[in-house]
Structures are given as structure tokens and as C-alpha cells.
């Protein structure tokens, strides 16, 4: 498959400096037996996702089992996806690591790639101070001209990127967005209020609440199972059609819960295998979803897969009302913050 194979899906797309809408961190398909990357399946999956109405892809994120890929494999996978979707569809490369010098070296490998940005997590395991986290990211920014999306996932790294640290980093134009997967709506709200970053939900079960608070979108592992429905949900909220958005999300939520009932990406790969998109193969220490989990997932997935397909042409529907505001005991989060950088030249 060549770089023009998906042109019909991307003729109006371009690399964007803003991170909004639904972004999908792709799984990495493997062959059975030898466990090598199935590049053909990866390219096909990338093309299908790009044509589904989503806004961008992430290669080598957590969902892509990047920790189990060599540096050479990561680069080959990225090149394969870029070839498949062409130069006009936004692609982000995931990079992680605990040693700042090693991460800087990894970042520099992609300085000549046509990327929308880099998704970089906080240093894992070593649990640095907030000052250490800030200096880690500042060293990375000094080594690249690529846009950087901060990735806050304390359940995996052991450290939280505090909103104050994110706001400090946001003073540097390299930092354009944050994938917030800390599981706390209050922190997500603080990021919306106190930084200029595009805030992307990284907890799929909180997606509707995040969008209703004024969140800019999501980087959603579960979205690759029915990406069009996630794009539809995003546009329903942006159109103020909250009744329809709530009904759709209620239908999606049982599947979302099962997709994270066991370690990611095992359930997502199981679901994609049920759809015939790839083999249900993972690299150790990741293992397949349990038999009981797969049975429950198959039964729950069936009605979701039966829903009508949504296309980008369905975006321009009548509005139901103004964008909701989410009220919590602590505060009220405005739908759009005053310093939103999208409204500045």
C-alpha cells in the first residue's frame, strides 16, 4: 500500500498545530508465531481509521505496546503508517523513557519526520520532583522543532504532572497539548482554566464529562473499535446536542468498561480480532484477554457494531442548545476558557 492509498479520505486534511477532536493511539498488529510486526495490517488499520472521521493517529503509544518494540521497529512502524495515510493526515509519535538523555536522543531521530507532534510521557519509575519533570521536558523541547503533547498517566509512570507544571511548560510554544489520563476531572478542569494547552481526555470513561467541561477532545484507545462513533460523540457535544450525545455515550459505555477491564491493549486487540482487522497477538509480558473477558466483550460489542455508521458529512445537524457546563461541588468549569489560544492570532 502506497502513500496515496488513503487520499480519498484525506483530501481536505492538513497537519494542524491544534490538537482537537478524536485521536486514536493505534495498536501494533503482530504476526502469530514469530511475533514480528504485521506492517500490512498496520497500514490497513491506519487507512481505515483515517477514513472514519477521526482527527489524528498516535503511533507507539501505550496502546501500541511501544515498550516491547525496539527503536528500529518503532521507526519502521512510524514510516509504514506515514506511507499509508500520506502527508496530509496528522500523525503523532509516542516517546517515553526515564533517562532524559536517552529520550532526547530518541526525539532527535524524528526531527525530519512530517509529524503533527510527539506524545511524551513523564519519566516512569524514578518518580522525579515537579522541577525534575519540568526540566526533563525543557531539555526535550530544546532538542526538537516538533510540537509536543504532554502525556500525564500517573498510574503507569508513578508521578503526576501537576497543573502548575503543565502551565509552566506551556509558556514554551513547543508544548501545545496535554493528554490527561490522571482520572480526575478537577485536574482536567484546572488545566482548561489555567493553561493555554489543548486538553485531551485520556480516560475513555470520562470522555463525555470532559467534552462537556470544554475539553478539546481525546486520545482514546477504545475509539479504534468504532472510531466513527467517537467522532460522532465529539461533534454532537460541539453542536450542543447533549441529549443525543448522552444517549450515544450510554450505548458506548459498557464496551468502554470491558475494553479496560483487563490490561490495555489486550481487550482492544481482542475486539479488533473479532472484527477481522488483525490477529489477537501480543508481546510478553502482555497476554491475551481472558476467555471469560472475550466472551463478555463479544456479547457486549455486538449491538455497538450494529449501530449505523457515522460519516463526517453528518456533522452539520441542527443544534439542541448551548454547550453544557459541568457543575461540581468545588467549582463551575466554563465551556471555553478566556485565554483559549485558538482565539489569538
Amino acid at each position: 500500500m502506497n502513500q496515496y492509498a488513503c487520499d480519498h479520505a484525506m483530501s481536505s486534511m492538513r497537519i494542524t498545530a491544534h490538537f482537537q477532536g478524536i485521536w486514536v493511539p493505534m495498536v501494533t498488529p503482530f504476526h502469530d508465531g514469530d511475533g514480528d510486526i504485521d506492517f500490512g495490517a498496520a497500514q490497513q488499520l491506519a487507512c481505515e481509521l483515517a477514513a472514519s472521521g477521526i482527527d489524528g493517529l498516535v503511533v507507539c503509544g501505550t496502546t501500541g505496546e511501544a515498550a516491547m518494540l525496539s527503536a528500529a521497529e518503532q521507526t519502521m512502524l512510524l514510516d509504514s503508517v506515514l506511507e499509508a495515510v500520506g502527508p496530509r493526515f496528522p500523525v503523532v509519535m509516542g516517546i517515553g523513557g526515564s533517562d532524559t538523555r536517552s529520550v532526547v536522543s530518541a526525539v532527535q531521530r524524528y526531527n525530519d519526520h512530517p509529524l503533527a507532534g510527539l506524545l511524551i510521557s513523564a519519566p516512569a519509575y524514578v518518580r522525579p520532583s515537579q522541577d525534575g519533570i519540568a526540566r526533563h521536558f525543557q531539555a526535550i523541547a530544546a532538542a526538537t522543532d516538533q510540537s509536543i503533547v504532554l502525556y500525564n498517566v500517573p498510574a503507569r509512570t508513578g508521578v503526576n504532572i501537576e497543573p502548575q507544571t503543565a502551565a509552566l511548560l506551556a509558556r514554551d510554544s513547543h508544548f501545545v497539548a496535554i493528554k490527561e489520563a490522571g482520572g480526575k476531572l478537577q485536574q482536567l478542569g484546572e488545566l482548561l482554566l489555567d493553561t493555554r494547552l489543548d486538553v485531551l481526555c485520556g480516560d475513555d470513561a470520562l470522555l463525555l464529562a470532559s467534552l462537556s467541561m470544554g475539553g478539546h477532545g481525546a486520545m482514546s484507545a477504545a475509539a479504534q473499535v468504532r472510531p466513527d462513533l467517537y467522532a460522532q460523540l465529539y461533534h454532537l457535544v460541539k453542536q450542543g446536542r447533549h441529549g443525543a450525545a448522552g444517549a450515544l455515550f450510554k450505548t458506548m459505555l459498557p464496551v468502554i468498561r470491558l475494553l479496560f477491564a483487563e490490561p490495555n491493549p489486550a481487550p482492544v486487540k481482542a475486539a479488533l480480532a473479532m472484527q477481522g482487522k488483525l490477529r489477537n497477538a501480543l508481546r510478553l509480558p502482555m497476554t491475551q484477554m481472558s476467555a471469560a473477558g472475550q466472551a463478555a466483550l463479544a456479547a457486549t460489542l455486538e449491538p455497538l457494531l450494529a449501530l449505523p455508521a457515522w460519516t463526517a458529512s453528518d456533522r452539520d445537524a441542527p443544534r439542541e442548545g448551548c454547550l453544557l457546563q459541568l457543575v461540581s461541588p468545588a467549582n463551575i468549569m466554563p465551556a471555553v476558557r478566556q485565554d483559549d489560544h485558538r482565539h489569538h492570532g
Side-chain angles (χ1 to χ4, degrees):
M1 186 178 300
N2 62 44
Q3 70 182 58
Y4 304 107
C6 299
D7 275 1
H8 67 282
M10 284 158 269
S11 59
S12 63
M13 300 300 296
R14 62 179 176 81
I15 300 300
T16 175
H18 295 305
F19 287 81
Q20 296 157 27
I22 302 300
W23 294 66
V24 175
M26 287 179 54
V27 300
T28 300
F30 297 121
H31 291 288
D32 288 325
D34 59 18
D36 288 342
I37 296 174
D38 185 342
F39 291 104
Q43 290 192 315
Q44 183 62 40
L45 180 62
C47 272
E48 291 177 3
L49 289 169
S52 68
I54 66 166
D55 296 274
L57 294 172
V58 180
V59 176
C60 290
T62 303
T63 306
E65 296 175 78
M68 280 69 81
L69 303 179
S70 69
E73 286 179 317
Q74 291 180 19
T75 299
M76 287 189 292
L77 180 61
L78 174 62
D79 289 341
S80 178
V81 170
L82 289 172
E83 179 187 14
V85 301
R88 292 183 294 280
F89 193 80
V91 175
V92 163
M93 182 64 177
I95 297 176
S98 300
D99 172 51
T100 302
R101 291 175 298 178
S102 296
V103 177
V104 166
S105 295
V107 162
Q108 290 173 328
R109 290 200 297 269
Y110 303 107
N111 279 346
D112 61 347
H113 282 67
L115 297 172
L118 304 169
L119 176 67
I120 304 180
S121 57
Y125 183 74
V126 296
R127 302 186 69 182
S129 66
Q130 292 299 303
D131 180 58
I133 292 172
R135 292 171 64 179
H136 173 80
F137 281 109
Q138 287 164 346
I140 293 167
T144 183
D145 288 330
Q146 301 277 13
S147 296
I148 295 173
V149 180
L150 301 170
Y151 183 12
N152 187 39
V153 57
R156 291 184 180 272
T157 63
V159 292
N160 183 50
I161 302 175
E162 299 289 344
Q164 297 88 342
T165 303
L168 172 66
L169 292 170
R171 297 175 188 174
D172 183 335
S173 61
H174 281 90
F175 299 99
V176 297
I178 183 167
K179 177 181 179 181
E180 175 54 44
K184 297 179 180 178
L185 286 175
Q186 181 175 348
Q187 177 155 314
L188 191 145
E190 290 175 8
L191 290 166
L192 286 168
L193 286 169
D194 299 332
T195 80
R196 64 167 187 81
L197 300 172
D198 285 333
V199 181
L200 302 173
C201 180
D203 294 290
D204 290 49
L206 300 180
L207 175 55
L208 180 58
S210 170
L211 293 175
S212 297
M213 291 170 69
H216 300 98
M219 284 188 172
S220 166
Q224 61 201 301
V225 175
R226 272 299 302 265
D228 60 312
L229 298 183
Y230 286 76
Q232 180 182 16
L233 181 73
Y234 171 79
H235 288 286
L236 286 172
V237 174
K238 293 304 177 185
Q239 293 163 356
R241 302 177 64 196
H242 300 289
L248 176 58
F249 191 68
K250 185 176 180 179
T251 302
M252 296 161 60
L253 193 55
V255 173
I256 290 173
R257 287 173 174 160
L258 283 173
L259 290 176
F260 296 98
E262 297 184 26
N264 178 50
V268 174
K269 278 195 164 180
L272 292 172
M274 293 172 192
Q275 295 174 270
K277 297 181 183 295
L278 46 76
R279 299 170 181 85
N280 190 11
L282 298 94
R283 283 189 180 174
L284 287 172
M286 303 306 298
T287 57
Q288 290 185 0
M289 191 181 196
S290 66
Q294 290 192 52
L297 180 59
T300 309
L301 190 60
E302 186 174 353
L304 192 73
L305 295 179
L307 291 178
W310 180 88
T311 64
S313 62
D314 298 324
R315 294 179 183 182
D316 300 323
R319 294 174 60 89
E320 289 181 2
C322 298
L323 185 62
L324 282 178
Q325 296 182 350
L326 184 69
V327 180
S328 74
N331 46 43
I332 299 176
M333 303 301 179
V336 179
R337 62 194 187 281
Q338 292 182 351
D339 67 336
D340 194 323
H341 64 283
R342 290 170 296 168
H343 304 294
H344 296 276

